[in-house]
Amino acid sequence: MLVTLPSDKSKEIIEACSKLLTAPSPTIRTVSAVIGRLVATFSAVQYGPLHYREIEREKITALKRHSGHFDRSMKLSLSAKADLLWWIRHVSGASRPITREQHTTCITSDASGKGWGATDGKSQIGGRWNEVEKLRAENNEINYLEMLASFLALQAFCANSTNCHVLLRLDNTTAVAYLNNMGGIKSLACNVMAKTVWAWCIQRDIWITASYLPGIANEIADKKSRQFDDQLEWMLNKGIFVHICNILGKPEIDLFATRLNAQLKRYVSWKADPGAESFDAFTVDWSSSRFYAFPPFALISRCLNKIEQDCAEGILVVPNWTTQIWFPKLSGMLVSRPIILPRDKTVLSNPASGEP
């Protein structure tokens, strides 16, 4: 059963937002009145909380600037006006279910100063922060990082999910509040993250509920956020990769990668990964896209068999080990002259450990 707004109430909201949208310098009192009307509809407009906080934040700023005088004028930013436009376009068809079905997936996540970790009860994943995220960790932005960890886990475990209810369990009450409330006023970064999470979910018709889990009961995710296998993150130096692409042509998908070392936007990981379009390269068709592969050395023979089986073509990075059993087969499959890389420690880099 759904709760919806009466048509006359929807019209009132549209009229109020339209009038505010076209006002060059509305009073703070006028803006506050519109905000009050929007908030009053939340019981019937389930995504309403995502589209009013920019207006609210600007109202608070204006009040501070004018020492609490509600009859002073203010201006709305493009972001605030975008929120008003959302209400004008969506309020008429908005609704909210009275009850929701039981969640079908439960994801537990955690963040540390080093990285993130998560589990869905069947699989365990995690990894280090990238360079941008490390700066937030250094600034002790733990609330934001807890939300980010939850989002990375959601992307990894629910990449192919639609029309479902997911329970997110975190050991940070602020992150739980921002996710359940679809944002907040105090932290701009956390508000942006909450909107990012919900935008991703709305595209897939996923409803999320966050709940608090005491840290003492969050052992698995906590461990995955602190312990990493950095040897899995080695990659070709970016400059060398670009050089190879200039000679052989740019591939479309990286078949053995993670969110830290992927050379291309499209990549396949060896296990659930937030940005991967699939995991386990040997379960996908290699002929559908021109590939780039820098596999673990133990998988080279298997890779050659897969290339042959799928009639695929791409760039394969392997050591120049002429005595290996797979080397004659590799030589017979070449379609262009191989590029021999120099024996230099800068050829490879590890984004996880920072080693060249």
Side-chain angles (χ1 to χ4, degrees):
M1 185 177 291
L2 299 176
V3 178
T4 59
L5 285 179
S7 58
D8 59 328
K9 292 295 183 184
S10 296
K11 290 179 180 178
E12 289 177 5
I13 293 293
I14 293 173
E15 290 174 2
C17 289
S18 298
K19 187 175 180 180
L20 182 57
L21 187 63
T22 57
S25 299
T27 64
I28 300 173
R29 190 180 303 279
T30 299
V31 174
S32 298
V34 173
I35 291 172
R37 286 192 173 192
L38 300 183
V39 173
T41 70
F42 287 175
S43 60
V45 184
Q46 65 177 349
Y47 297 123
L50 289 170
H51 302 283
Y52 89 100
R53 288 194 175 87
E54 195 59 41
I55 310 171
E56 174 73 14
R57 183 176 287 106
E58 293 179 13
K59 181 211 76 174
I60 293 172
T61 301
L63 268 178
K64 290 180 179 178
R65 185 170 60 248
H66 295 296
S67 304
H69 294 294
F70 277 85
D71 292 319
R72 298 292 177 86
S73 296
M74 61 175 287
K75 291 186 179 296
L76 295 176
S77 68
L78 292 177
S79 296
K81 290 180 179 180
D83 279 347
L84 292 172
L85 279 172
W86 184 90
W87 285 91
I88 293 169
R89 293 169 179 169
H90 295 92
V91 69
S92 295
S95 63
R96 187 184 187 98
I98 294 177
T99 59
R100 297 192 183 277
E101 295 182 0
Q102 183 71 10
H103 63 269
T104 55
T105 303
C106 178
I107 298 173
T108 303
S109 62
D110 200 10
S112 70
K114 296 179 179 180
W116 63 282
T119 177
D120 65 349
K122 295 174 287 186
S123 303
Q124 301 172 16
I125 59 173
R128 291 187 183 273
W129 299 124
N130 62 30
E131 292 303 316
V132 175
E133 294 156 0
K134 284 178 184 177
L135 294 177
R136 291 189 179 275
E138 291 170 2
N139 292 332
N140 200 31
E141 298 181 43
I142 191 60
N143 297 332
Y144 175 91
L145 293 174
E146 289 282 2
M147 295 175 68
L148 176 58
S150 184
F151 185 36
L152 294 174
L154 186 65
Q155 289 177 300
F157 289 127
C158 299
N160 299 314
S161 300
T162 57
N163 189 28
C164 62
H165 182 188
V166 178
L167 176 63
L168 303 176
R169 308 189 75 190
L170 307 86
D171 59 9
N172 182 288
T173 55
T174 298
V176 168
Y178 268 81
L179 289 171
N180 284 336
N181 296 330
M182 299 186 181
I185 295 296
K186 189 172 182 180
S187 169
L188 178 60
C190 288
N191 183 62
V192 171
M193 176 53 65
K195 294 184 72 171
T196 300
V197 173
W198 276 102
W200 188 89
C201 291
I202 290 170
Q203 288 180 343
R204 295 158 177 79
D205 194 20
I206 295 175
W207 184 265
I208 56 173
T209 300
S211 70
Y212 175 70
L213 178 70
I216 194 172
N218 198 12
E219 294 181 4
I220 295 176
D222 176 72
K223 182 178 179 180
K224 296 299 293 184
S225 75
R226 301 173 189 276
Q227 298 180 9
F228 317 100
D229 189 352
D230 292 337
Q231 294 306 309
L232 299 175
E233 300 290 353
W234 287 101
M235 62 185 290
L236 276 187
N237 177 285
K238 285 283 187 181
I240 292 177
F241 174 74
V242 171
H243 173 69
I244 292 172
C245 291
N246 289 337
I247 298 174
L248 301 178
K250 188 175 181 179
E252 299 168 271
I253 187 168
D254 189 339
L255 292 176
F256 295 89
T258 68
R259 66 183 289 264
L260 291 184
N261 68 11
Q263 299 280 15
L264 301 164
K265 185 175 182 180
R266 294 178 58 206
Y267 69 92
V268 178
S269 62
W270 69 282
K271 62 179 180 179
D273 186 278
E277 66 175 49
S278 185
F279 63 95
D280 189 352
F282 295 105
T283 64
V284 301
D285 181 5
W286 290 18
S287 66
S288 60
S289 301
R290 191 164 187 272
F291 70 83
Y292 166 76
F294 185 5
F297 299 155
L299 297 179
I300 292 175
S301 289
R302 195 175 173 189
C303 285
L304 295 175
N305 291 337
K306 179 68 172 173
I307 294 169
E308 190 174 54
Q309 173 187 324
D310 290 354
C311 298
E313 184 174 311
I315 299 172
L316 180 66
V317 180
V318 297
N320 190 21
W321 291 345
T322 57
T323 58
Q324 289 296 309
I325 192 172
W326 46 259
F327 197 85
K329 183 171 186 177
L330 170 69
S331 300
M333 294 173 65
L334 296 176
V335 295
S336 67
R337 186 173 181 175
I339 298 173
I340 307 298
L341 300 178
R343 292 187 177 183
D344 190 294
K345 65 179 182 180
T346 62
V347 168
L348 300 180
S349 63
N350 192 314
S353 62
E355 295 179 61

